[in-house]
């Protein structure tokens, strides 16, 4: 008897087209992680140069991350100024160098929203935007003489007296920022410096230098 013909195998149904993933909203806590893991080697032109539009497209369109354009532009410009030539382009090497040094303090100061470490819901009353840094710089230069900080006339400014003075400004300046400024003043790590050393440092202090000190440059 002839063998029965095999039943036809049904053709597989075509797989549905993958739908674009919804935008993932990025909060402050995950922004740092996103920047650290951004596939920067796949951005830009063949020569490794990356424009802001390419940077924005990678983050918002390809990765689907909901980061506002203003935040991205602040980050991009911070990288772009590294070589002293704000030409509207960054390189992959610049991004790697920038992101390797990036920490949460740098990012918070850069975006002007440093928050209280003990209470994340409470904004610092002292704002680390340009106006805030200007205020602190002028205060240090004009209202913190070595003589004023040396209550015992020892000839030295002590770290404790310096920190106490800034705390009493009632501007809620974080301890880590006070520590960074003092470390820049007291580069010998002695815990105290002479009146002359203190006055010379304050004489040379500028807003840009203070900002770099806070950011950890």
């Amino acid at each position: 008897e002839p063998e029965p013909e095999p039943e036809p195998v049904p053709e597989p149904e075509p797989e549905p087209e993958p739908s674009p993933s919804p935008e993932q909203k990025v909060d402050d806590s995950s922004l740092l992680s996103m920047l650290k893991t951004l596939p920067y080697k796949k951005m830009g032109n063949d020569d490794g140069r990356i424009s802001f539009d390419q940077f924005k497209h990678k983050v918002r369109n390809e990765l689907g991350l909901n980061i506002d354009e203003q935040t991205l532009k602040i980050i991009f410009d911070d990288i772009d100024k590294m070589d002293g030539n704000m030409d509207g382009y960054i390189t992959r090497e610049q991004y790697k160098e920038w992101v390797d040094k990036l920490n949460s303090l740098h990012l918070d100061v850069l975006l002007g929203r440093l928050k209280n470490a003990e209470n994340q819901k409470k904004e610092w009353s002292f704002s680390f935007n340009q106006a805030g840094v200007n205020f602190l710089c002028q205060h240090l230069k004009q209202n913190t003489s070595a003589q004023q900080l040396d209550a015992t006339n020892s000839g030295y400014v002590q770290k404790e007296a310096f920190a106490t003075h800034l705390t009493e400004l009632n501007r809620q300046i974080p301890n880590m920022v006070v520590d960074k400024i003092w470390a820049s003043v007291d580069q010998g790590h002695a815990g105290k410096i002479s009146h002359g050393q203190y006055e010379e440092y304050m004489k040379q202090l500028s807003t840009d230098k203070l900002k770099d000190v806070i950011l950890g440059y």
Side-chain angles (χ1 to χ4, degrees), residues 12-216:
E13 294 184 6
E15 295 184 5
E17 290 286 330
S19 57
S21 59
E23 283 193 344
Q24 305 172 43
K25 186 154 185 173
V26 177
D27 57 23
D28 290 357
S29 62
S30 58
L31 179 56
L32 177 63
S33 175
M34 185 281 297
L35 291 169
K36 289 283 190 183
T37 57
L38 187 69
Y40 65 90
K41 292 181 180 178
K42 298 181 179 179
M43 286 193 295
N45 308 319
D46 292 339
D47 61 2
R49 281 159 49 91
I50 306 163
S51 69
F52 174 66
D53 285 341
Q54 290 170 322
F55 180 69
K56 180 176 67 172
H57 181 80
K58 170 63 74 174
V59 173
R60 300 190 67 179
N61 296 75
E62 293 187 28
L63 300 179
L65 300 171
N66 186 17
I67 304 175
D68 66 88
E69 184 168 340
Q70 182 182 12
T71 296
L72 289 176
K73 189 67 167 71
I74 291 171
I75 291 169
F76 185 89
D77 286 348
D78 194 51
I79 305 169
D80 193 14
K81 73 181 183 183
M82 287 176 62
D83 59 0
N85 178 22
M86 293 275 289
D87 60 357
Y89 286 89
I90 63 175
T91 65
R92 293 169 193 153
E93 290 76 16
Q94 280 179 307
Y95 186 88
K96 183 179 187 309
E97 181 183 348
W98 179 83
V99 83
D100 283 349
K101 295 191 298 185
L102 184 64
N103 56 43
S104 57
L105 176 61
H106 184 146
L107 192 59
D108 285 338
V109 174
L110 183 65
L111 300 179
R113 54 178 186 227
L114 189 58
K115 295 185 177 180
N116 190 331
E118 289 81 32
N119 180 1
Q120 291 293 327
K121 296 181 180 178
K122 181 180 178 183
E123 296 281 346
W124 287 106
S125 62
F126 184 87
S127 176
F128 281 88
N129 52 24
Q130 191 66 35
V133 177
N134 283 342
F135 164 83
L136 183 55
C137 181
Q138 291 306 310
H139 179 83
L140 288 170
K141 290 175 72 72
Q142 298 175 9
N143 301 311
T144 58
S145 69
Q147 193 65 49
Q148 178 187 356
L149 296 175
D150 181 14
T152 61
N153 294 318
S154 66
Y156 292 93
V157 175
Q158 306 279 344
K159 177 183 178 180
E160 184 178 353
F162 179 80
T164 299
H165 174 77
L166 291 185
T167 301
E168 290 174 351
L169 288 177
N170 294 323
R171 291 269 180 162
Q172 294 182 303
I173 301 174
N175 288 337
M176 59 184 169
V177 172
V178 176
D179 288 344
K180 280 177 175 287
I181 298 172
W182 177 259
S184 178
V185 177
D186 177 22
Q187 295 187 5
H189 309 295
K192 63 181 181 179
I193 59 171
S194 69
H195 287 197
Q197 288 174 305
Y198 183 88
E199 299 292 355
E200 182 61 26
Y201 180 91
M202 292 304 163
K203 182 179 177 182
Q204 301 295 329
L205 187 65
S206 66
T207 300
D208 286 343
K209 179 177 179 179
L210 181 59
K211 188 173 182 180
D212 286 348
V213 166
I214 295 172
L215 290 175

